[in-house]
Amino acid sequence: MPFNATDKLAYRIDEAVKASGLGRSFLYEKMAEGKLRSVKVGGRRLIMRSDLLDFLNQGGEPKPSLQAPSPFVPEAKVGLPANQLELPLKPRR
């Protein structure tokens, strides 16, 4: 049976863009606002399929949850407020 993207447990950002139809910068913005959960595994940012579906089903609003908060805690960067994430930017060519 061929592998299908819907079989994945988590999406890279470019895969989440294709799966959801939303823009890359929009997804990063929602992650920074805490409305869309993501995890960092190694050097890769992933969005769990269930979190993307919850985000879309709730109209972009975070789902109230009885689950424990995510163990993901963004690394603090010197000079940034505690609630602000630094997102990677690709250099323009």
Side-chain angles (χ1 to χ4, degrees):
M1 177 182 342
F3 181 77
N4 189 340
T6 58
D7 297 335
K8 292 185 124 189
L9 297 175
Y11 296 118
R12 294 185 320 250
I13 300 302
D14 62 321
E15 294 171 326
V17 166
K18 290 177 185 175
S20 67
L22 299 172
R24 179 182 177 87
S25 58
F26 179 81
L27 292 178
Y28 274 115
E29 180 182 307
K30 296 307 171 186
M31 287 186 288
E33 291 173 0
K35 293 183 177 183
L36 175 61
R37 283 184 34 177
S38 67
V39 294
K40 193 164 187 181
V41 178
R44 183 174 288 178
R45 174 78 49 198
L46 298 173
I47 299 173
M48 300 300 294
R49 182 175 184 269
S50 59
D51 291 329
L52 183 58
L53 288 172
D54 287 345
F55 176 78
L56 294 171
N57 287 329
Q58 297 298 319
E61 292 300 319
K63 180 180 176 182
S65 175
L66 299 177
Q67 297 175 347
S70 169
F72 170 71
V73 177
E75 296 177 16
K77 298 286 184 179
V78 176
L80 290 176
N83 63 348
Q84 183 177 352
L85 297 176
E86 181 178 14
L87 301 176
L89 298 176
K90 291 184 178 180
R92 292 185 186 244
R93 294 181 185 198

